[in-house]
Amino acid sequence: MDTAMDIKLTVNGEPVAEHVDARTTLVDFLREGLGLTGSHVGCEHGVCGACTVRVDGEIVRGCLMLAVQCDGATVETIEGLSDSGEVADLQAAFEQRNALQCGYCTPGMIAAAQDLLVQAKKNKTVPTRDAIREHLSGNYCRCTGYHAIVDAVEAVAQARAGGK
Ligand code: FES
Ligand code: FES
């Protein structure tokens, strides 16, 4: 039985129209259908956060969402966040503070960190180290021990708030 469906969505600002199997996950669609391989696949069970992307302004696990559920949605991947310059300061801070080693977790980690910083800006708050750790607790890193990641996100949070 053909379970494929036509979907239309916006990905990183570009209109996309595709015919996709109803069982295709969002992250597989992005990687294999659109060649956007910045979103990584780790656990495929919603645990590791490597597949984190933004859908209609909210971060989601790309492995837990089906591509067909994104019909009509606006999807942003690390490629889009990077190209727009939205996360340039986070990317620089990660590099400067050695907050990445293999880099497998990094796109999802930066997408999740950006989500926290966007929320903080809306609420006019600066996240504490504990809040950063809590927010990133669903994004696993097997290399860094997390300390440098928290350092990097904290530095950007303070810089964006006009601090040091
Ligand atoms: S691959 Fe999606 S959460 Fe691990
Ligand atoms: S840098 Fe390797 S998993 Fe995070």
Side-chain angles (χ1 to χ4, degrees), residues 75-140:
V75 177
E76 293 161 287
T77 70
I78 192 64
E79 288 89 346
L81 298 179
S82 179
D83 288 349
S84 70
E86 180 181 337
V87 294
D89 51 0
L90 277 169
Q91 291 171 311
F94 269 57
E95 191 178 339
Q96 284 158 9
R97 291 168 184 271
N98 297 318
L100 69 157
Q101 289 177 27
C102 78
Y104 204 83
C105 69
T106 310
M109 198 68 83
I110 285 183
Q114 175 65 359
D115 179 62
L116 174 67
L117 298 182
V118 168
Q119 287 179 31
K121 187 174 180 186
K122 273 189 203 154
N123 298 331
K124 297 189 170 56
T125 57
V126 182
T128 62
R129 291 183 72 82
D130 282 350
I132 293 167
R133 279 191 182 277
E134 173 67 25
H135 192 82
L136 299 181
S137 61
N139 289 75
Y140 290 5

Side-chain angles (χ1 to χ4, degrees), residues 7-123:
I7 60 170
K8 287 183 181 173
L9 62 164
T10 303
V11 180
N12 297 334
E14 300 289 332
V16 171
E18 291 282 342
H19 192 63
V20 294
D21 188 278
R23 294 162 299 188
T24 302
T25 63
L26 174 59
V27 70
D28 285 344
F29 170 67
L30 292 168
R31 289 177 56 83
E32 292 160 23
L34 304 183
L36 294 168
T37 54
S39 304
H40 293 158
V41 180
C43 65
E44 297 183 79
H45 287 92
V47 176
C48 74
C51 61
T52 303
V53 294
R54 201 156 65 184
V55 176
D56 291 336
E58 305 280 340
I59 52 169
V60 302
R61 304 282 204 226
C63 69
L64 291 185
M65 194 160 189
L66 297 171
V68 294
Q69 290 178 288
C70 295
D71 187 27
T74 295
V75 177
E76 293 161 287
T77 70
I78 192 64
E79 288 89 346
L81 298 179
S82 179
D83 288 349
S84 70
E86 180 181 337
V87 294
D89 51 0
L90 277 169
Q91 291 171 311
F94 269 57
E95 191 178 339
Q96 284 158 9
R97 291 168 184 271
N98 297 318
L100 69 157
Q101 289 177 27
C102 78
Y104 204 83
C105 69
T106 310
M109 198 68 83
I110 285 183
Q114 175 65 359
D115 179 62
L116 174 67
L117 298 182
V118 168
Q119 287 179 31
K121 187 174 180 186
K122 273 189 203 154
N123 298 331

